[in-house]
Amino acid sequence: MKTVMEPKRTNTTTEQQPRSEKTETKPAALDVKHLNIYYGENHAVKDVSFSIEKNAVTALIGPSGCGKSTFLRSINRMNDLIPGAKSTGEIQYDDVNLIGDDINVVALRKEIGMVFQKPNPFPKSIYNNIVHALKFNGIRSRKKLDGIVEESLRKAALWDEVKDRLHESALSLSGGQQQRLCIARTLAMKPNILLLDEPASALDPISNAKIEDLIMELKKEYTIVIVTHNMHQASRISDKTAFFLNGVLVEYDKTDRIFTNPSKKDTEDYITGRFG
Amino acid sequence: MDNKTMTMAASQRLLKKSNKSALQKEKRGKYLVLASALLIITATIAITIFLGTKGLQAFISNGVSLYEFLTSTKWNPTAENPLYGAVPFILGSFAVTILSALIAAPLGIGGAIFMTEIAPSWGKKILQPVIELLVGIPSVVYGFIGLSVLVPFLRDTVGGQGFSLLAGMIVLSIMILPTVTSIATDAMSSLPKGLRESSYAIGATRWQTIWRVLVPAAMPTLLTAIVLGMARAFGEALAVQMVIGNVRSLPSAITDPSATLTTIITLNMGHTTFGSVENNVLWSLALILLVMSFIFILLIRYLSSRRQF
């Protein structure tokens, strides 16, 4: 898996060049063009276009129902599971359009992993939670599996807490530990992009802080897109912030500019807590 | 608060003694439901005690050997030297129960997975009423259909008399199918949605999600579904009696006629006199049924305690 993907990460010649001056430094991991998403009659995401940078944290903020989660879920095609969901436009990733009908969603989700708001470990041991997905990929060698389990748990900053009880049920872990296990489980797939849907909002403040530290650590290696309702969290951990309102991308800029000097009135109202 | 109550002193409004009639109504309701609960408990205990004493009478006062009862395969209570070996019926009951569960479990769980995972919209719309209909058909109708369709069919295709363990097993498996399917459907649909999503999110296919994540997670409840089906199969008398052949000997093949604890009781209770040895050994068979149903309940309780969701 790793060897197949390595050239993709380093080979910048095939990458889309950033389109606007706002994304001046880093190359784009995902280039979104005129994306529309519908749930039946409901137009949930309206003509959204922007570029998500590589090896950076992009925060998606906005009030509930603004389309940010819907957008996030369209990147790894989780919306396919919702009956009546339909998308038009482009999400360019390397040399493919992720919205296309020809995408193998199973392979896609291995490259673009997702962690949800509520920690949802499988009712198996900690070890098997991570090994589970690897076995789908045909990795059977015990030694290799052990190696990946340790590596992913270390990356998710969970190894020291669970190394002596890898074979206990994952459901015996605390909420924060379960969430880091879910992150470890996703990292074990060696994804290129991590999608986080309010990963810390169901956790206590200490677990929350641990998850934030983890995200800061992970962005060195991964492209991270995070949906959050927590303004402080967005300002602390993200490099870029996108503000959604009623399905429209209102403003997208560097995080410090969004939080100190937003150009749109709606953005300012939202981050100062005047609505939403 | 209206004006009248406003003028009353707090002791008139708030103390228990001044609100007697309302409190009495409360109590009346409480006693009514308590009485229902007590009645249910009393009835169950009474039946258990009655079955216990009647079932043991054959061994205590009639001198039937418990050892012979549980180990011998010879049953002939009306012979000059009566024989009371219940093994053919005990084994017969277990055989039809386990065999019918073997058919109904995969079908029922498969149907449940189809309804919850593959085609939740139209699959449920069609299968749900079908299953409810299957529950509503009385067992005598199942037996009648088995007798007039299944038995001749088996006679023509696999040979023998048609009345057989196989016929009993097929009729029973259809009868317990709705039990297994409906509880398995509940088990699958009560799994947290996040479990499904997180499995897809790490790149599992639908099949992998179903077999490696959802079915294992629902396993304790799925097993409960199977055990409940088995409990129903174990206790079913009428339909089985109509197709199984009711012989006293051990079957040597699945196409041989056989008998179960329930069929022997229903066949013989009419022509034995209450208090006779022949009648008492039937009570002993009934006691075995009761003990087995307790075991099934314990098994279900144990399985439910292992539920994770």
Side-chain angles (χ1 to χ4, degrees), chain A residues 17-46:
Chain A
Q17 286 309 305
R19 295 178 313 127
S20 71
E21 69 289 338
K22 281 173 186 169
T23 54
E24 55 241 336
T25 46
K26 289 173 176 170
L30 295 167
D31 205 358
V32 184
K33 289 175 203 157
H34 304 293
L35 181 70
N36 284 285
I37 304 172
Y38 306 84
Y39 289 140
E41 293 296 299
N42 177 16
H43 195 174
V45 170
K46 295 167 190 161

PDB file of all heavy atoms in Angstrom, chain A residues 17-46:
ATOM      1  N   GLN A  17      -2.070  22.875  -9.836  1.00  0.00           N
ATOM      2  CA  GLN A  17      -1.453  24.069  -9.268  1.00  0.00           C
ATOM      3  C   GLN A  17      -2.543  24.903  -8.600  1.00  0.00           C
ATOM      4  O   GLN A  17      -3.677  24.932  -9.058  1.00  0.00           O
ATOM      5  CB  GLN A  17      -0.770  24.893 -10.381  1.00  0.00           C
ATOM      6  CG  GLN A  17       0.529  24.271 -10.870  1.00  0.00           C
ATOM      7  CD  GLN A  17       1.490  23.931  -9.720  1.00  0.00           C
ATOM      8  OE1 GLN A  17       1.828  24.783  -8.925  1.00  0.00           O
ATOM      9  NE2 GLN A  17       1.905  22.667  -9.654  1.00  0.00           N
ATOM     10  N   PRO A  18      -2.184  25.554  -7.497  1.00  0.00           N
ATOM     11  CA  PRO A  18      -3.170  26.403  -6.825  1.00  0.00           C
ATOM     12  C   PRO A  18      -3.716  27.468  -7.769  1.00  0.00           C
ATOM     13  O   PRO A  18      -2.977  28.037  -8.567  1.00  0.00           O
ATOM     14  CB  PRO A  18      -2.381  27.038  -5.682  1.00  0.00           C
ATOM     15  CG  PRO A  18      -0.992  26.555  -5.776  1.00  0.00           C
ATOM     16  CD  PRO A  18      -0.904  25.519  -6.823  1.00  0.00           C
ATOM     17  N   ARG A  19      -5.016  27.697  -7.655  1.00  0.00           N
ATOM     18  CA  ARG A  19      -5.645  28.575  -8.628  1.00  0.00           C
ATOM     19  C   ARG A  19      -5.673  30.036  -8.197  1.00  0.00           C
ATOM     20  O   ARG A  19      -5.665  30.928  -9.005  1.00  0.00           O
ATOM     21  CB  ARG A  19      -7.065  28.102  -8.906  1.00  0.00           C
ATOM     22  CG  ARG A  19      -7.122  26.730  -9.578  1.00  0.00           C
ATOM     23  CD  ARG A  19      -8.537  26.295  -9.779  1.00  0.00           C
ATOM     24  NE  ARG A  19      -9.311  26.495  -8.552  1.00  0.00           N
ATOM     25  CZ  ARG A  19     -10.433  27.166  -8.509  1.00  0.00           C
ATOM     26  NH1 ARG A  19     -10.907  27.701  -9.597  1.00  0.00           N
ATOM     27  NH2 ARG A  19     -11.086  27.287  -7.377  1.00  0.00           N
ATOM     28  N   SER A  20      -5.752  30.267  -6.899  1.00  0.00           N
ATOM     29  CA  SER A  20      -5.845  31.657  -6.480  1.00  0.00           C
ATOM     30  C   SER A  20      -4.609  32.057  -5.687  1.00  0.00           C
ATOM     31  O   SER A  20      -3.870  31.203  -5.213  1.00  0.00           O
ATOM     32  CB  SER A  20      -7.076  31.872  -5.614  1.00  0.00           C
ATOM     33  OG  SER A  20      -6.860  31.252  -4.361  1.00  0.00           O
ATOM     34  N   GLU A  21      -4.413  33.336  -5.515  1.00  0.00           N
ATOM     35  CA  GLU A  21      -3.219  33.796  -4.809  1.00  0.00           C
ATOM     36  C   GLU A  21      -3.294  33.490  -3.316  1.00  0.00           C
ATOM     37  O   GLU A  21      -2.309  33.544  -2.618  1.00  0.00           O
ATOM     38  CB  GLU A  21      -2.994  35.300  -5.046  1.00  0.00           C
ATOM     39  CG  GLU A  21      -4.009  36.229  -4.388  1.00  0.00           C
ATOM     40  CD  GLU A  21      -5.384  36.184  -5.036  1.00  0.00           C
ATOM     41  OE1 GLU A  21      -5.467  35.787  -6.215  1.00  0.00           O
ATOM     42  OE2 GLU A  21      -6.377  36.520  -4.375  1.00  0.00           O
ATOM     43  N   LYS A  22      -4.499  33.126  -2.842  1.00  0.00           N
ATOM     44  CA  LYS A  22      -4.643  32.821  -1.428  1.00  0.00           C
ATOM     45  C   LYS A  22      -3.880  31.554  -1.042  1.00  0.00           C
ATOM     46  O   LYS A  22      -3.427  31.404   0.071  1.00  0.00           O
ATOM     47  CB  LYS A  22      -6.118  32.654  -1.078  1.00  0.00           C
ATOM     48  CG  LYS A  22      -6.834  33.981  -0.924  1.00  0.00           C
ATOM     49  CD  LYS A  22      -8.302  33.740  -0.752  1.00  0.00           C
ATOM     50  CE  LYS A  22      -9.056  35.051  -0.731  1.00  0.00           C
ATOM     51  NZ  LYS A  22     -10.489  34.844  -0.821  1.00  0.00           N
ATOM     52  N   THR A  23      -3.793  30.614  -1.967  1.00  0.00           N
ATOM     53  CA  THR A  23      -3.070  29.377  -1.683  1.00  0.00           C
ATOM     54  C   THR A  23      -1.671  29.473  -2.262  1.00  0.00           C
ATOM     55  O   THR A  23      -1.251  28.643  -3.045  1.00  0.00           O
ATOM     56  CB  THR A  23      -3.816  28.171  -2.294  1.00  0.00           C
ATOM     57  OG1 THR A  23      -4.015  28.458  -3.679  1.00  0.00           O
ATOM     58  CG2 THR A  23      -5.148  27.947  -1.636  1.00  0.00           C
ATOM     59  N   GLU A  24      -0.947  30.480  -1.824  1.00  0.00           N
ATOM     60  CA  GLU A  24       0.318  30.796  -2.496  1.00  0.00           C
ATOM     61  C   GLU A  24       1.408  29.741  -2.282  1.00  0.00           C
ATOM     62  O   GLU A  24       2.139  29.405  -3.196  1.00  0.00           O
ATOM     63  CB  GLU A  24       0.830  32.176  -2.035  1.00  0.00           C
ATOM     64  CG  GLU A  24       0.985  32.330  -0.530  1.00  0.00           C
ATOM     65  CD  GLU A  24       0.100  33.440   0.025  1.00  0.00           C
ATOM     66  OE1 GLU A  24      -0.260  34.344  -0.742  1.00  0.00           O
ATOM     67  OE2 GLU A  24      -0.243  33.399   1.210  1.00  0.00           O
ATOM     68  N   THR A  25       1.501  29.166  -1.049  1.00  0.00           N
ATOM     69  CA  THR A  25       2.673  28.360  -0.755  1.00  0.00           C
ATOM     70  C   THR A  25       2.546  26.883  -1.116  1.00  0.00           C
ATOM     71  O   THR A  25       3.314  26.360  -1.915  1.00  0.00           O
ATOM     72  CB  THR A  25       3.039  28.466   0.731  1.00  0.00           C
ATOM     73  OG1 THR A  25       1.846  28.309   1.485  1.00  0.00           O
ATOM     74  CG2 THR A  25       3.679  29.804   1.022  1.00  0.00           C
ATOM     75  N   LYS A  26       1.544  26.231  -0.526  1.00  0.00           N
ATOM     76  CA  LYS A  26       1.502  24.773  -0.627  1.00  0.00           C
ATOM     77  C   LYS A  26       0.673  24.312  -1.824  1.00  0.00           C
ATOM     78  O   LYS A  26      -0.289  24.976  -2.209  1.00  0.00           O
ATOM     79  CB  LYS A  26       0.927  24.193   0.652  1.00  0.00           C
ATOM     80  CG  LYS A  26       1.892  24.338   1.815  1.00  0.00           C
ATOM     81  CD  LYS A  26       1.251  23.914   3.106  1.00  0.00           C
ATOM     82  CE  LYS A  26       2.281  23.983   4.224  1.00  0.00           C
ATOM     83  NZ  LYS A  26       1.654  23.801   5.523  1.00  0.00           N
ATOM     84  N   PRO A  27       1.031  23.148  -2.401  1.00  0.00           N
ATOM     85  CA  PRO A  27       0.223  22.615  -3.499  1.00  0.00           C
ATOM     86  C   PRO A  27      -1.125  22.104  -2.978  1.00  0.00           C
ATOM     87  O   PRO A  27      -1.276  21.849  -1.793  1.00  0.00           O
ATOM     88  CB  PRO A  27       1.061  21.464  -4.031  1.00  0.00           C
ATOM     89  CG  PRO A  27       1.913  21.062  -2.880  1.00  0.00           C
ATOM     90  CD  PRO A  27       2.170  22.296  -2.067  1.00  0.00           C
ATOM     91  N   ALA A  28      -2.087  21.975  -3.878  1.00  0.00           N
ATOM     92  CA  ALA A  28      -3.420  21.554  -3.472  1.00  0.00           C
ATOM     93  C   ALA A  28      -3.502  20.043  -3.374  1.00  0.00           C
ATOM     94  O   ALA A  28      -2.971  19.323  -4.216  1.00  0.00           O
ATOM     95  CB  ALA A  28      -4.448  22.064  -4.466  1.00  0.00           C
ATOM     96  N   ALA A  29      -4.157  19.562  -2.318  1.00  0.00           N
ATOM     97  CA  ALA A  29      -4.443  18.134  -2.205  1.00  0.00           C
ATOM     98  C   ALA A  29      -5.773  17.836  -2.879  1.00  0.00           C
ATOM     99  O   ALA A  29      -5.943  16.806  -3.520  1.00  0.00           O
ATOM    100  CB  ALA A  29      -4.489  17.731  -0.745  1.00  0.00           C
ATOM    101  N   LEU A  30      -6.709  18.757  -2.708  1.00  0.00           N
ATOM    102  CA  LEU A  30      -8.032  18.610  -3.299  1.00  0.00           C
ATOM    103  C   LEU A  30      -8.408  19.940  -3.927  1.00  0.00           C
ATOM    104  O   LEU A  30      -8.223  20.995  -3.326  1.00  0.00           O
ATOM    105  CB  LEU A  30      -9.072  18.284  -2.221  1.00  0.00           C
ATOM    106  CG  LEU A  30      -8.929  16.956  -1.480  1.00  0.00           C
ATOM    107  CD1 LEU A  30      -9.824  16.956  -0.251  1.00  0.00           C
ATOM    108  CD2 LEU A  30      -9.285  15.787  -2.386  1.00  0.00           C
ATOM    109  N   ASP A  31      -8.910  19.872  -5.151  1.00  0.00           N
ATOM    110  CA  ASP A  31      -9.322  21.097  -5.813  1.00  0.00           C
ATOM    111  C   ASP A  31     -10.812  21.000  -6.101  1.00  0.00           C
ATOM    112  O   ASP A  31     -11.234  20.188  -6.924  1.00  0.00           O
ATOM    113  CB  ASP A  31      -8.518  21.260  -7.110  1.00  0.00           C
ATOM    114  CG  ASP A  31      -8.431  22.720  -7.511  1.00  0.00           C
ATOM    115  OD1 ASP A  31      -9.025  23.549  -6.797  1.00  0.00           O
ATOM    116  OD2 ASP A  31      -7.773  23.009  -8.515  1.00  0.00           O
ATOM    117  N   VAL A  32     -11.593  21.788  -5.381  1.00  0.00           N
ATOM    118  CA  VAL A  32     -13.048  21.692  -5.491  1.00  0.00           C
ATOM    119  C   VAL A  32     -13.536  22.734  -6.485  1.00  0.00           C
ATOM    120  O   VAL A  32     -13.182  23.907  -6.372  1.00  0.00           O
ATOM    121  CB  VAL A  32     -13.705  21.936  -4.112  1.00  0.00           C
ATOM    122  CG1 VAL A  32     -15.209  21.736  -4.196  1.00  0.00           C
ATOM    123  CG2 VAL A  32     -13.093  21.030  -3.065  1.00  0.00           C
ATOM    124  N   LYS A  33     -14.328  22.290  -7.463  1.00  0.00           N
ATOM    125  CA  LYS A  33     -14.830  23.227  -8.465  1.00  0.00           C
ATOM    126  C   LYS A  33     -16.332  23.064  -8.634  1.00  0.00           C
ATOM    127  O   LYS A  33     -16.794  21.981  -9.002  1.00  0.00           O
ATOM    128  CB  LYS A  33     -14.159  22.971  -9.824  1.00  0.00           C
ATOM    129  CG  LYS A  33     -12.698  23.379  -9.866  1.00  0.00           C
ATOM    130  CD  LYS A  33     -12.116  22.977 -11.214  1.00  0.00           C
ATOM    131  CE  LYS A  33     -10.612  22.844 -11.122  1.00  0.00           C
ATOM    132  NZ  LYS A  33     -10.083  21.968 -12.172  1.00  0.00           N
ATOM    133  N   HIS A  34     -17.068  24.116  -8.388  1.00  0.00           N
ATOM    134  CA  HIS A  34     -18.510  24.165  -8.615  1.00  0.00           C
ATOM    135  C   HIS A  34     -19.225  22.930  -8.081  1.00  0.00           C
ATOM    136  O   HIS A  34     -20.012  22.294  -8.779  1.00  0.00           O
ATOM    137  CB  HIS A  34     -18.812  24.326 -10.118  1.00  0.00           C
ATOM    138  CG  HIS A  34     -18.147  25.535 -10.693  1.00  0.00           C
ATOM    139  ND1 HIS A  34     -18.508  26.802 -10.326  1.00  0.00           N
ATOM    140  CD2 HIS A  34     -17.118  25.647 -11.568  1.00  0.00           C
ATOM    141  CE1 HIS A  34     -17.736  27.669 -10.964  1.00  0.00           C
ATOM    142  NE2 HIS A  34     -16.876  27.004 -11.711  1.00  0.00           N
ATOM    143  N   LEU A  35     -18.928  22.607  -6.834  1.00  0.00           N
ATOM    144  CA  LEU A  35     -19.535  21.424  -6.236  1.00  0.00           C
ATOM    145  C   LEU A  35     -20.940  21.739  -5.730  1.00  0.00           C
ATOM    146  O   LEU A  35     -21.154  22.704  -5.004  1.00  0.00           O
ATOM    147  CB  LEU A  35     -18.677  20.913  -5.076  1.00  0.00           C
ATOM    148  CG  LEU A  35     -19.195  19.653  -4.388  1.00  0.00           C
ATOM    149  CD1 LEU A  35     -19.048  18.445  -5.289  1.00  0.00           C
ATOM    150  CD2 LEU A  35     -18.489  19.427  -3.069  1.00  0.00           C
ATOM    151  N   ASN A  36     -21.901  20.930  -6.156  1.00  0.00           N
ATOM    152  CA  ASN A  36     -23.282  21.027  -5.674  1.00  0.00           C
ATOM    153  C   ASN A  36     -23.685  19.671  -5.114  1.00  0.00           C
ATOM    154  O   ASN A  36     -23.418  18.644  -5.743  1.00  0.00           O
ATOM    155  CB  ASN A  36     -24.239  21.377  -6.820  1.00  0.00           C
ATOM    156  CG  ASN A  36     -24.122  22.840  -7.194  1.00  0.00           C
ATOM    157  OD1 ASN A  36     -24.594  23.709  -6.488  1.00  0.00           O
ATOM    158  ND2 ASN A  36     -23.444  23.106  -8.314  1.00  0.00           N
ATOM    159  N   ILE A  37     -24.300  19.679  -3.958  1.00  0.00           N
ATOM    160  CA  ILE A  37     -24.787  18.420  -3.387  1.00  0.00           C
ATOM    161  C   ILE A  37     -26.257  18.584  -3.031  1.00  0.00           C
ATOM    162  O   ILE A  37     -26.662  19.586  -2.447  1.00  0.00           O
ATOM    163  CB  ILE A  37     -23.976  18.011  -2.137  1.00  0.00           C
ATOM    164  CG1 ILE A  37     -22.492  17.916  -2.475  1.00  0.00           C
ATOM    165  CG2 ILE A  37     -24.469  16.669  -1.604  1.00  0.00           C
ATOM    166  CD1 ILE A  37     -21.597  17.710  -1.281  1.00  0.00           C
ATOM    167  N   TYR A  38     -27.032  17.594  -3.419  1.00  0.00           N
ATOM    168  CA  TYR A  38     -28.479  17.619  -3.149  1.00  0.00           C
ATOM    169  C   TYR A  38     -28.851  16.394  -2.338  1.00  0.00           C
ATOM    170  O   TYR A  38     -28.360  15.289  -2.589  1.00  0.00           O
ATOM    171  CB  TYR A  38     -29.285  17.565  -4.458  1.00  0.00           C
ATOM    172  CG  TYR A  38     -28.918  18.621  -5.458  1.00  0.00           C
ATOM    173  CD1 TYR A  38     -27.842  18.441  -6.319  1.00  0.00           C
ATOM    174  CD2 TYR A  38     -29.662  19.794  -5.548  1.00  0.00           C
ATOM    175  CE1 TYR A  38     -27.495  19.402  -7.249  1.00  0.00           C
ATOM    176  CE2 TYR A  38     -29.327  20.766  -6.479  1.00  0.00           C
ATOM    177  CZ  TYR A  38     -28.245  20.569  -7.330  1.00  0.00           C
ATOM    178  OH  TYR A  38     -27.922  21.531  -8.240  1.00  0.00           O
ATOM    179  N   TYR A  39     -29.729  16.583  -1.342  1.00  0.00           N
ATOM    180  CA  TYR A  39     -30.395  15.451  -0.687  1.00  0.00           C
ATOM    181  C   TYR A  39     -31.830  15.503  -1.158  1.00  0.00           C
ATOM    182  O   TYR A  39     -32.629  16.259  -0.599  1.00  0.00           O
ATOM    183  CB  TYR A  39     -30.367  15.591   0.839  1.00  0.00           C
ATOM    184  CG  TYR A  39     -29.015  15.397   1.473  1.00  0.00           C
ATOM    185  CD1 TYR A  39     -28.597  16.200   2.523  1.00  0.00           C
ATOM    186  CD2 TYR A  39     -28.153  14.380   1.055  1.00  0.00           C
ATOM    187  CE1 TYR A  39     -27.370  16.023   3.131  1.00  0.00           C
ATOM    188  CE2 TYR A  39     -26.929  14.196   1.647  1.00  0.00           C
ATOM    189  CZ  TYR A  39     -26.536  15.021   2.685  1.00  0.00           C
ATOM    190  OH  TYR A  39     -25.334  14.841   3.279  1.00  0.00           O
ATOM    191  N   GLY A  40     -32.160  14.723  -2.152  1.00  0.00           N
ATOM    192  CA  GLY A  40     -33.506  14.839  -2.706  1.00  0.00           C
ATOM    193  C   GLY A  40     -33.717  16.249  -3.221  1.00  0.00           C
ATOM    194  O   GLY A  40     -33.008  16.716  -4.091  1.00  0.00           O
ATOM    195  N   GLU A  41     -34.711  16.967  -2.628  1.00  0.00           N
ATOM    196  CA  GLU A  41     -35.021  18.327  -3.064  1.00  0.00           C
ATOM    197  C   GLU A  41     -34.111  19.360  -2.389  1.00  0.00           C
ATOM    198  O   GLU A  41     -34.008  20.493  -2.835  1.00  0.00           O
ATOM    199  CB  GLU A  41     -36.483  18.669  -2.710  1.00  0.00           C
ATOM    200  CG  GLU A  41     -37.514  17.864  -3.481  1.00  0.00           C
ATOM    201  CD  GLU A  41     -37.461  18.142  -4.973  1.00  0.00           C
ATOM    202  OE1 GLU A  41     -37.673  19.307  -5.361  1.00  0.00           O
ATOM    203  OE2 GLU A  41     -37.175  17.200  -5.742  1.00  0.00           O
ATOM    204  N   ASN A  42     -33.492  18.939  -1.296  1.00  0.00           N
ATOM    205  CA  ASN A  42     -32.714  19.879  -0.494  1.00  0.00           C
ATOM    206  C   ASN A  42     -31.338  20.128  -1.115  1.00  0.00           C
ATOM    207  O   ASN A  42     -30.534  19.222  -1.256  1.00  0.00           O
ATOM    208  CB  ASN A  42     -32.596  19.293   0.930  1.00  0.00           C
ATOM    209  CG  ASN A  42     -31.755  20.154   1.835  1.00  0.00           C
ATOM    210  OD1 ASN A  42     -31.492  21.322   1.526  1.00  0.00           O
ATOM    211  ND2 ASN A  42     -31.325  19.580   2.936  1.00  0.00           N
ATOM    212  N   HIS A  43     -31.084  21.368  -1.481  1.00  0.00           N
ATOM    213  CA  HIS A  43     -29.805  21.741  -2.073  1.00  0.00           C
ATOM    214  C   HIS A  43     -28.830  22.060  -0.938  1.00  0.00           C
ATOM    215  O   HIS A  43     -28.818  23.170  -0.425  1.00  0.00           O
ATOM    216  CB  HIS A  43     -30.027  22.960  -2.976  1.00  0.00           C
ATOM    217  CG  HIS A  43     -28.908  23.224  -3.911  1.00  0.00           C
ATOM    218  ND1 HIS A  43     -28.965  24.180  -4.876  1.00  0.00           N
ATOM    219  CD2 HIS A  43     -27.696  22.646  -4.042  1.00  0.00           C
ATOM    220  CE1 HIS A  43     -27.833  24.181  -5.563  1.00  0.00           C
ATOM    221  NE2 HIS A  43     -27.056  23.276  -5.068  1.00  0.00           N
ATOM    222  N   ALA A  44     -28.051  21.079  -0.512  1.00  0.00           N
ATOM    223  CA  ALA A  44     -27.299  21.205   0.740  1.00  0.00           C
ATOM    224  C   ALA A  44     -25.980  21.948   0.574  1.00  0.00           C
ATOM    225  O   ALA A  44     -25.543  22.647   1.482  1.00  0.00           O
ATOM    226  CB  ALA A  44     -27.047  19.829   1.339  1.00  0.00           C
ATOM    227  N   VAL A  45     -25.328  21.778  -0.570  1.00  0.00           N
ATOM    228  CA  VAL A  45     -24.070  22.480  -0.831  1.00  0.00           C
ATOM    229  C   VAL A  45     -24.204  23.165  -2.181  1.00  0.00           C
ATOM    230  O   VAL A  45     -24.569  22.535  -3.174  1.00  0.00           O
ATOM    231  CB  VAL A  45     -22.868  21.505  -0.816  1.00  0.00           C
ATOM    232  CG1 VAL A  45     -21.612  22.186  -1.327  1.00  0.00           C
ATOM    233  CG2 VAL A  45     -22.639  20.968   0.586  1.00  0.00           C
ATOM    234  N   LYS A  46     -23.959  24.509  -2.191  1.00  0.00           N
ATOM    235  CA  LYS A  46     -24.271  25.285  -3.390  1.00  0.00           C
ATOM    236  C   LYS A  46     -23.019  25.851  -4.042  1.00  0.00           C
ATOM    237  O   LYS A  46     -22.384  26.745  -3.482  1.00  0.00           O
ATOM    238  CB  LYS A  46     -25.229  26.429  -3.030  1.00  0.00           C
ATOM    239  CG  LYS A  46     -26.589  25.928  -2.571  1.00  0.00           C
ATOM    240  CD  LYS A  46     -27.389  27.042  -1.916  1.00  0.00           C
ATOM    241  CE  LYS A  46     -28.643  26.481  -1.244  1.00  0.00           C
ATOM    242  NZ  LYS A  46     -29.183  27.397  -0.258  1.00  0.00           N
TER     243      LYS A  46
END
